Amino acid sequence: MPDKVFVTVSGVDKVGIVAKISAVMAQYEVNIEDIKQTLMQGHFVMFMLCDISKSDYSFKEIKEALVSAGAELGMEIWVQKKEIFDCMHQI
């Protein structure tokens, strides 16, 4: 699963977060396989498992585009390869 990534979005809730982030993913040919989001006392948090295997863009290009979109929204975005995430969380 080297082409799977986790994307985490966090910040103050506002209109258009999901639309903006999913539009960037569509532009960069990233498939959202699973998505969870919640709102905790006005704080928006979203986790996505995505597949970048069909994208013509590199992991770095996708990450930079998502982080840039997050900055435009005033949100923090973390993009991490699933294989690294899994290694970090093994006991």
Side-chain angles (χ1 to χ4, degrees):
M1 289 189 211
D3 294 324
K4 305 284 183 174
V5 296
F6 281 113
V7 178
T8 306
V9 181
S10 176
V12 177
D13 189 34
K14 63 187 74 165
V15 173
I17 299 169
V18 176
K20 175 77 170 178
I21 300 306
S22 60
V24 170
M25 291 197 173
Q27 178 184 352
Y28 281 78
E29 302 164 336
V30 174
N31 185 41
I32 301 169
E33 293 188 341
D34 197 359
I35 183 170
K36 304 280 187 242
Q37 67 182 51
T38 190
L39 188 60
M40 297 183 298
Q41 298 180 357
H43 193 82
F44 178 88
V45 180
M46 178 169 63
F47 302 99
M48 292 175 279
L49 175 62
C50 303
D51 183 348
I52 62 172
S53 65
K54 294 189 172 93
S55 178
D56 291 329
Y57 298 90
S58 69
F59 170 79
K60 182 179 179 187
E61 290 170 316
I62 294 166
K63 180 177 180 175
E64 288 173 354
L66 288 167
V67 169
S68 177
E72 290 175 21
L73 290 165
M75 307 294 284
E76 292 205 39
I77 296 187
W78 298 271
V79 184
Q80 188 173 34
K81 292 182 179 181
K82 184 179 184 304
E83 60 191 338
I84 293 173
F85 180 88
D86 288 344
C87 288
M88 288 174 38
H89 293 89
Q90 285 182 343
I91 296 177

